[in-house]
Amino acid sequence: GLFSRFYLGKEPKHSLPEGLTLRLLTHTSLLQESEVVRRDQMTSYHWELIGTAFVGLYPARSLELAETMLEHFRTRGTIFEGLFPRPFSVLNEITQEYPEEIWARITEYLGPPISRQAYAIREWLRGEAWWGRECEREGALSFIPTGVVWQWVDADVENRAWYLSSFVPKELFREKDKVC
């Protein structure tokens, strides 16, 4: 909270420091697997504020942040586990900016085997909230060019075609300028 107030307050006197901010966002205390779940809404809120500002100021470093997020996606006790998906809005922003690069990283975690992490990434791609309700936003799969997704499927059609079908949103649509 103090960090975000100091650097992101109404009239900050200092700009958000690149290295320090990335270290803060990826600090081990936020990423260590634990049986104790951090369900603090304010932690998620401040993480999202700082993460969004970081991505806006240092877009070239945002892939490093995304890699950390994917690596710890839904890990028990981390900032990325929870019922409060605020940090994933930052990952959505990075995915919109670097869709092919993020897809390449995502595919490293999709499996097989289909782990808890792979399942959670699939739900995020699909646009599902962690508690089973649909998100207000589109799933992240809509940000990724269909060509790179099909290349991934084509590399192992037998195992990936059926799996990709589970990423598709529940509701189909027909729009002239948008691929369903």
Side-chain angles (χ1 to χ4, degrees):
L2 182 60
F3 189 89
S4 63
R5 285 188 203 126
F6 185 76
Y7 289 110
L8 304 173
K10 290 182 181 180
E11 295 180 27
K13 295 179 179 151
H14 305 282
S15 62
L16 200 64
E18 183 177 349
L20 179 62
T21 305
L22 184 60
R23 283 196 310 272
L24 174 73
L25 292 169
T26 59
H27 193 271
T28 56
S29 66
L30 299 171
L31 305 176
Q32 289 176 333
E33 187 169 350
S34 171
E35 291 301 316
V36 178
V37 179
R38 291 174 182 83
R39 297 198 192 276
D40 183 323
Q41 288 181 335
M42 292 309 292
T43 302
S44 288
Y45 171 77
H46 288 291
W47 194 99
E48 179 188 29
L49 283 179
I50 296 166
T52 299
F54 179 81
V55 168
L57 288 170
Y58 309 109
R61 302 284 309 267
S62 63
L63 288 172
E64 293 174 58
L65 181 58
E67 178 61 39
T68 299
M69 294 180 79
L70 290 168
E71 181 182 343
H72 297 280
F73 210 98
R74 277 302 298 270
T75 301
R76 187 177 308 280
T78 69
I79 188 80
F80 308 122
E81 175 186 21
L83 297 175
F84 310 108
R86 284 186 164 278
F88 296 106
S89 68
V90 175
L91 187 55
N92 283 347
E93 285 185 42
I94 299 168
T95 304
Q96 287 176 339
E97 187 67 29
Y98 300 103
E100 293 183 29
E101 294 88 341
I102 294 297
W103 178 252
R105 286 168 170 83
I106 287 170
T107 60
E108 296 172 20
Y109 298 102
L110 287 178
I114 301 171
S115 64
R116 172 185 165 98
Q117 179 186 32
Y119 177 81
I121 290 172
R122 185 200 79 168
E123 294 297 291
W124 168 69
L125 287 168
R126 185 178 191 186
E128 296 282 326
W130 308 136
W131 50 91
R133 289 185 270 163
E134 292 183 31
C135 293
E136 293 145 17
R137 299 182 187 142
E138 296 176 272
L141 189 61
S142 66
F143 308 140
I144 300 168
T146 55
V148 297
V149 175
W150 289 122
Q151 285 175 353
W152 176 75
V153 171
D154 288 343
D156 187 2
V157 174
E158 183 108 359
N159 292 309
R160 295 179 178 168
W162 70 268
Y163 191 32
L164 176 63
S165 70
S166 69
F167 302 172
V168 177
K170 291 179 183 177
E171 296 180 18
L172 301 177
F173 58 87
R174 180 172 263 183
E175 292 182 28
K176 187 176 184 175
D177 297 331
K178 194 172 183 181
V179 176
C180 177

